[in-house]
Amino acid sequence: MPTPLSRLLPLLLPVGLLACNPWENLPDQDWYWMDGPLWDPSSAVAATDGVYIALPHAGALARVKDDGTFDVVDLDGAEVVRMVATPDASQVIVWDRWRVCEDPEAEKVEDCDEEELSWSYELSVVQDGAVQVVTEIPPHLNRLAFSPDGGTAVAYLDFESADDVPVDGVVDLTQVAFVDLGSGAVQSLSVGFSANNVLFSLDGSRAVVLSRSQVVVVDLATFEKTVTYPLTLDADQQVDPNGAALTPDGRYALITIEGSKDLYKLDLDVEAIDIISLEGAPATLSVNNDQDKSLLVYGSLAQVDVLEHEYFGIQSVELDEPCTAVLETATTALLYNDQARTHDVYELDFATLEPVEYVMANPVQSMELTASGRYAVAVLAPEYGSSGNDLDDYQDNRYGLGVIDLQEDDDVSLVLEAQPVGAAVVEDESGSFALLLLEGLDSLLKVDLSNPSVPAVVELVEAPTGIGALPDGRFYITHDAALGLVSFLDPATDTLTSTAGFGAVDLQGDDELPRLAGEE
Amino acid sequence: MLTGLFPMSLFTLALLAAPATAADHELSLELGGFGTMDERFDMFRQSPMVGTLGLRGAVALHDNVAIVLGVHHGAWGSSVEVDGEGSEYDDDEYYYYYSYEDEGDADFQAAYRGNQVLVGPKVDVRIVDAFRPYATVQAALFTGTVRLDDDPDHDDNENQLKATALQPGGVAALGFDLVPLRPRQPLRFGTHLELGYGLTAATGFQAKPPGGGEKVEIARFGFGGFYMRWGVGAYF
Amino acid sequence: MTRQLLALLALATTVACSADMSLYKGADDSDGSWADGGSTDGQGDGAAADGGATAPEDEDSFFSLAPAATTAYVFVANPDRDTVTRVAVPSLAVITTEVGDHPIAVATTSDYTKAVTFNEGDDSVSVIDAETLAVSDVAVRANMNAMAMSPDGRFVICWHDQDVDEEESSEGGAQSFNEVSVVDTEALTHAPLVVGFNPRAVQFSADSSLAVVVSDAYLAVVDLSAEELSPERIAVSDDLVDPPEAEEVLLTPDGRFAFVRQFGATELVVVDLAEQVVDHVAVGSNPTDLDLLPDGQRAVAVARDSHELWIYDLADPFADAQVVDMPDTETLGSVLMSPDGSRGLLYSTASGVSHYASWELESDEITVRALVKPVQSMGISPTGETALVFHPKDNGVDVDPTSPFYDQWALSMIDLTDDFFSNPLRLPAEPSGYANSADGNQGFFIMEEVPYLEVLHYESLLYDEIELASAPIHVGVLPESTLAWVSQDHPLGRMSFFDPATEVLQTITGFELNSGIEH
């Protein structure tokens, strides 16, 4: 006959197990500080085969997949400096580096004298989780521009985004490098000081490299300079291009100059230069391929200039407030100011050149158009210190979301609970939506742009830190999780899958010198 | 702890079954310490030595020789902050400073629970009945589990990583038994203390990612350094 | 700018504007009215024949570095870059080519196939194929600063004009003021010649077979059809010690005779160029202007002091001249003929009086008319229906202080077909350039430091202002066209093109950068 005790025993076991959940009772006697971060959400690059994320602490690169798994890309001991996806997202270009010691006896970094320790750099083309091609480019070149077919990239130095300019002996600041992404072959060329922008001809046969006071056209078949256009004939004058675009026919390169009212028009076919005088130094030059026109907006002038591409005549349209940014559709343009504390957003119809004004509740921090061009979604920044009634103050002091229905000429400014850490727009058969991530909130707000007041909530596994688009129309969300956590969202079904743990890779890796000197 | 109990239970049975000889059998409760020279263990405990609690048994084989078996257990853990997330070390000023808004928030918990099994001969010298210095060399086998959790307040977070590994090693020590009661009494109580040096291999801890896939190494360290045991127990 | 301004010159002298362009006389590529077909004006700085009461008439203007045009291109010399830029019209395509050192002038041939630059820096002439921009350089004698082109464009003659403001050349060695360089732009050959001292101008016969170099005491006649060029020097003054300056020379269209007007003289010197015989004909007192009538058969001299017009038959210059009396009360020293020869306008740039007179040739009736201010220069539209009068800022002797034109620059448009009805315009600055459209319906002028192109509509006497991006420097009209071009002040070159039919202004800027394009 079973005793009461024997009856209780089967129950005691699970209770006991519950009481002994090891994750609940982790020993915690100390604090520890670690060089990190373990993973860098801001480095995430979406490719067709996953999201590539740098692991700075481990000096590794992880490919995070939407099936919950991840793998580590073998960079042969190198650590990621920066990454960028090719335009078709089939490959990821990785700038990576590894420690080198001049002392051949040293096996670990700590064994090497500081004076003998240096970095070696390379460029790796990663596809399907593996390095396909490795090539060397001058380490100070930190930005790539891709040819239209994606087969060639031009590496140049973007000094504004550079944390550091690695100097190994000498650095040629007039240099760019042309990289064949298929073979890894590199051709360096001196094109002028501070080359910071590259355009490609429509057929991809030429690259137009902009540098201080000159523009160089390079034949991509031979990598030879074919034409050099001077932007000044005075050696004492510095002319720094700060914006450039090709006209839709690819014949003309339009170049704006830092702090100048001149718009340079380079005829790439006839090889001639013309300067168009503007009324101010433009903040943005935007070419509309459908309209075959360009728009110029000025931070200090309340007007937008419409430049046609036949005779390059300018038509000026007055605005109430200056604008600094442009979004374009096939028939209209949206103008707004993301630098000043103005509230106006203008819709400019190319047919009538009559601006329609929308006034947001707060200054626009960023703006995005839906694919159809019907809706514009703006993140509104708080405007502290404003005076007004209590409700005005309430709205002014908070982040907001502006939704503009360009078809109905209607707009609404919503108040957000917290600062957005990520925003994206998506449009499908079910409608147009804004996906919002707010700081500290473990949920994603899916705002129906046709009825923005009542957003749907998608619960997240952890608080988010950012959102990005995947090539297939889905989104990835990075989370505030030290050991690594990325979610994949299908906006059509609002389903989420997560992949975690990749931040712990090589948490206590050795600081062995990955490649001995001479074995690179 | 449970894993260590089994060999200890067997040893106790052996002890009880063994015939009495001139040397003493022993069963003691011990406090121990093992060195943590490996800097990588700092993530769990920043201390040159960690303490353990366990049992030791000895089976006398000869007047001066016994086989000792010790099983110890310890658990250590830290709240880990990753640089850039709330604290920074100022190289020029040589101090840590907090970002106040993150003060108190760890990025993840790192914990290690381990059992140490040591077995080996002990050779003593009888100075007087009550005092017997000895030397011992023991093989060691550490079994430990590393756990990382970046959201310890919740049970269901994705990032609960667990990895287990065996770490073989050994110790060498000098010690003494102090058994103050008169000899030839069937049961006496005494104490022992041994000090020496121990070392285990540095082993990688491979964890299976939460979503599956191949295991990844989340920790790698070994033990080594100063070794001590102090116990009180029964000698018979 | 000084009185050397081009506005007057653009209204004066030659008919074939692009074919007969003198470096220092200015570049008017339009078919606007030049005063005659082949006369050359020297600087009138001699003493007045009437005892010094009235200064000489001013027909000169200085027009350096003006662009030159064909029907399809405008050529701009860039002296600092040693290049010439060709701007295609209407595409505004720009191509730059290198020429010699420091080109200071550019001219185009009458057939529009070539452009020629004079390169002061290396004493050469560059001949440029207008289509291909192929350049051929021909060296000339040193220290030249002026250039004239024959009507057919085959020959250019370079000489040193002492009246051109320039820094003295510091390059060492001897320097002659008697030399000219004749360049054959087809054969690309150079023939240096010694002519009279201080050559002032060059005239060509209408068929380009003869060139006459005018200097103070000599005419040098060069037969351009000869295989080897050599000058026939003809002394035109009996006074070998202190010869009077030749103010103006007029070549008859057939090239047989040259009429020389000397300031303060009572005779005209008539030179038979073929026989090299010098003779004289009476011309009243103090002839101040000498022009060819549009029919090319007669020439008219204005004898200012005797208030007479002397008309000569060029077929027989020594026959008695027809003398027409001008009003005694008026000081009239210049004449401007209408293109059809039916009418002349008589005026004076030296009297300071706000009058002019119309002269009907059929009846020889002279009618004095009023202006708002004295005359600085005068011109007639290609159709002869509208006259333009440029007034100086100076008020002369008869401008009412309450007049809106007092102390102001001014311009008057006069409808010669509507009883000389005029529309005077007050100007903010001194006009610095002027040109007429080929159809005679519009005129274009620019003013110093005023960023506007002024468009004059001759039929309506109205005007329009077209805003420019920067201050204008030169203005012109493409030959056989109504398209006006305006070069403007810009460190890298700026030029605008205005089509009065569409009222569209197109501007190119920075074309000098094209000289820096490297391959």
Side-chain angles (χ1 to χ4, degrees), chain A residues 226-233 264 270-275 277 311, chain C residues 81 94 492 494 506-510 512-519:
Chain A
T226 56
V227 187
T228 300
Y229 295 85
L231 301 182
T232 178
L233 296 176
Y264 280 69
V270 174
E271 295 177 6
I273 305 170
D274 186 20
I275 300 174
S277 294
Y311 300 107
Chain C
R81 321 287 176 209
V94 173
L492 296 173
R494 172 175 284 150
Q506 290 179 265
T507 301
I508 55 170
T509 305
E512 287 199 27
L513 284 173
N514 292 281
S515 66
I517 295 178
E518 296 176 358
H519 295 84

Side-chain angles (χ1 to χ4, degrees), chain A residues 11-265:
Chain A
L11 297 174
L12 284 174
L13 187 60
V15 171
L17 285 173
L18 279 173
C20 295
N21 183 352
W23 292 104
E24 279 188 0
N25 298 298
L26 290 179
D28 185 8
Q29 305 111 343
D30 210 345
W31 280 93
Y32 183 71
W33 291 268
M34 176 182 284
D35 287 336
L38 302 185
W39 66 292
D40 184 4
S42 64
S43 72
V45 169
T48 51
D49 58 331
V51 177
Y52 287 82
I53 298 177
L55 310 179
H57 174 77
L61 173 63
R63 178 179 64 154
V64 178
K65 295 180 281 188
D66 59 2
D67 60 359
T69 65
F70 62 88
D71 42 41
V72 179
V73 179
D74 180 10
L75 296 177
D76 194 13
E79 65 181 48
V80 176
V81 178
R82 72 185 69 83
M83 298 186 287
V84 68
T86 56
D88 64 356
S90 65
Q91 295 173 319
V92 174
I93 314 298
V94 182
W95 284 261
D96 52 79
R97 64 179 184 177
W98 65 97
R99 281 287 194 186
V100 174
C101 183
E102 290 177 18
D103 177 7
E105 302 295 320
E107 291 186 354
K108 295 191 176 184
V109 173
E110 61 192 23
D111 298 336
C112 188
D113 288 338
E114 189 74 30
E115 304 82 45
E116 293 179 327
L117 208 54
S118 62
W119 291 100
S120 270
Y121 295 83
E122 67 186 12
L123 202 69
S124 300
V125 180
V126 176
Q127 188 170 8
D128 294 329
V131 174
Q132 307 295 325
V133 173
V134 176
T135 187
E136 277 191 29
I137 63 170
H140 65 284
L141 303 180
N142 63 351
R143 187 66 74 90
L144 286 180
F146 295 92
S147 60
D149 65 358
T152 304
V154 182
Y156 60 95
L157 171 62
D158 179 9
F159 186 71
E160 286 186 8
S161 65
D163 296 326
D164 180 30
V165 179
V167 179
D168 184 14
V170 295
V171 165
D172 183 357
L173 296 177
T174 69
Q175 194 180 29
V176 297
F178 294 84
V179 184
D180 184 323
L181 295 177
S183 66
V186 174
Q187 178 77 37
S188 288
L189 205 58
S190 178
V191 296
F193 182 79
S194 183
N196 61 4
N197 205 338
V198 182
L199 304 173
F200 289 89
S201 60
L202 292 183
D203 60 2
S205 64
R206 297 175 294 182
V208 181
V209 185
L210 283 68
S211 55
R212 172 171 289 175
S213 300
Q214 69 181 32
V215 174
V216 172
V217 179
V218 179
D219 185 325
L220 290 180
T222 62
F223 299 118
E224 288 180 355
K225 290 189 279 190
T226 56
V227 187
T228 300
Y229 295 85
L231 301 182
T232 178
L233 296 176
D234 182 355
D236 293 325
Q237 185 187 12
Q238 291 177 356
V239 179
D240 289 316
N242 67 353
L246 288 181
T247 52
D249 60 2
R251 176 171 175 180
Y252 298 98
L254 301 175
I255 302 169
T256 57
I257 305 298
E258 184 75 40
S260 168
K261 299 178 186 178
D262 290 336
L263 176 69
Y264 280 69
K265 181 189 78 177

Side-chain angles (χ1 to χ4, degrees), chain C residues 463-513:
Chain C
Y463 74 97
D464 286 320
E465 283 189 328
I466 309 299
E467 188 173 2
L468 303 173
S470 53
I473 300 177
H474 299 298
V475 66
V477 175
L478 261 64
E480 303 167 20
S481 159
T482 59
L483 195 68
W485 54 262
V486 185
S487 62
Q488 293 149 67
D489 184 21
H490 189 280
L492 296 173
R494 172 175 284 150
M495 181 167 289
S496 296
F497 295 85
F498 178 73
D499 184 348
T502 60
E503 296 185 353
V504 170
L505 181 77
Q506 290 179 265
T507 301
I508 55 170
T509 305
F511 53 79
E512 287 199 27
L513 284 173

Side-chain angles (χ1 to χ4, degrees), chain C residues 60-120:
Chain C
D60 281 344
S61 66
F62 181 75
F63 194 89
S64 70
L65 207 53
T70 72
T71 52
Y73 303 114
V74 175
F75 289 87
V76 182
N78 309 308
D80 293 335
R81 321 287 176 209
D82 302 336
T83 57
V84 160
T85 296
R86 186 193 77 181
V87 182
V89 185
S91 67
L92 302 190
V94 173
I95 299 181
T96 298
T97 187
E98 288 187 1
V99 293
D101 185 13
H102 200 69
I104 61 171
V106 60
T108 52
T109 58
S110 55
D111 61 359
Y112 310 132
T113 60
K114 285 179 286 193
V116 179
T117 67
F118 173 67
N119 311 308
E120 189 183 42

Side-chain angles (χ1 to χ4, degrees), chain A residues 355-434:
Chain A
V356 176
E357 181 181 355
Y358 302 96
V359 183
M360 300 288 101
N362 283 7
V364 174
Q365 183 171 279
S366 64
M367 181 173 282
E368 205 171 330
L369 277 171
T370 57
S372 65
R374 172 165 179 179
Y375 294 98
V377 178
V379 173
L380 307 178
E383 200 172 20
Y384 301 112
S386 64
S387 61
N389 66 34
D390 290 337
L391 198 57
D392 285 327
D393 284 345
Y394 177 85
Q395 185 162 40
D396 288 348
N397 292 334
R398 284 163 176 78
Y399 280 88
L401 186 76
V403 179
I404 304 175
D405 186 336
L406 299 171
Q407 187 172 298
E408 300 296 326
D409 289 345
D410 194 17
D411 69 279
V412 62
S413 293
L414 308 172
V415 174
L416 298 177
E417 180 180 347
Q419 178 176 354
V421 294
V425 293
V426 62
E427 204 162 46
D428 54 28
E429 299 83 29
S430 60
S432 305
F433 302 92

